[in-house]
């Protein structure tokens, strides 16, 4: 399976269809080759890149179908839950969860 196919498949599980332009952006930003095969040697890099792309997807409007991508409110919640789990598992900073902050005066 190519990295491009893997990326699209990961997001399709959540009802999100990525355009070829989105996949190209995703692979270029993460120094991945879309046509390369997913393997043991690059799997973690592909996994981390996938998780890091989620904040951009969630910043987009809900239930919009344009440019080859569709995301609905139900898939947003599932995608956010998966993002949180993956951040914890991979040791990546969770950029989407607001943490309580205490200020001492």
């Amino acid at each position: 399976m190519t990295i491009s196919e893997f990326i699209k498949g990961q997001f399709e599980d959540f009802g999100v269809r990525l355009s070829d332009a989105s996949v190209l952006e995703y692979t270029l930003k993460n120094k991945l080759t879309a046509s390369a095969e997913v393997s043991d040697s690059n799997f973690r890099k592909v996994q981390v890149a996938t998780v890091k792309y989620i904040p951009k997807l969630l910043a987009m409007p809900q239930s919009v179908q344009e440019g080859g991508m569709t995301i609905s409110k139900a898939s947003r919640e599932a995608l956010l839950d998966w993002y949180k789990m993956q951040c914890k598992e991979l040791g990546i900073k969770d950029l989407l969860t607001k943490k309580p902050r205490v200020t001492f005066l």
Side-chain angles (χ1 to χ4, degrees):
M1 175 180 286
T2 67
I3 291 174
S4 177
E5 292 167 338
F6 180 82
I7 292 166
K8 287 181 176 185
Q10 286 291 295
F11 289 109
E12 283 175 8
D13 289 346
F14 293 98
V16 178
R17 196 181 79 199
L18 295 179
S19 67
D20 290 337
S22 291
V23 173
L24 179 62
E25 174 193 20
Y26 177 111
T27 54
L28 291 175
K29 279 187 173 181
N30 292 286
K31 296 179 176 50
L32 296 167
T33 304
S35 60
E37 293 293 314
V38 176
S39 65
D40 287 338
S41 63
N42 65 11
F43 181 70
R44 180 167 169 81
K45 186 174 181 180
V46 173
Q47 211 178 9
V48 169
T50 301
V51 172
K52 288 185 174 184
Y53 194 73
I54 292 170
K56 179 179 178 179
L57 289 176
L58 294 175
M60 295 177 185
Q62 298 178 25
S63 299
V64 171
Q65 226 177 0
E66 188 173 337
M69 186 180 69
T70 304
I71 187 166
S72 67
K73 184 164 177 65
S75 64
R76 286 178 68 87
E77 294 304 316
L79 194 56
L80 183 57
D81 290 343
W82 183 74
Y83 170 80
K84 291 175 188 178
M85 182 183 69
Q86 289 296 298
C87 284
K88 187 174 182 178
E89 182 180 313
L90 296 170
I92 300 170
K93 184 177 180 180
D94 181 344
L95 301 174
L96 299 176
T97 304
K98 293 181 181 173
K99 310 266 189 297
R101 191 171 174 180
V102 177
T103 305
F104 295 98
L105 300 174

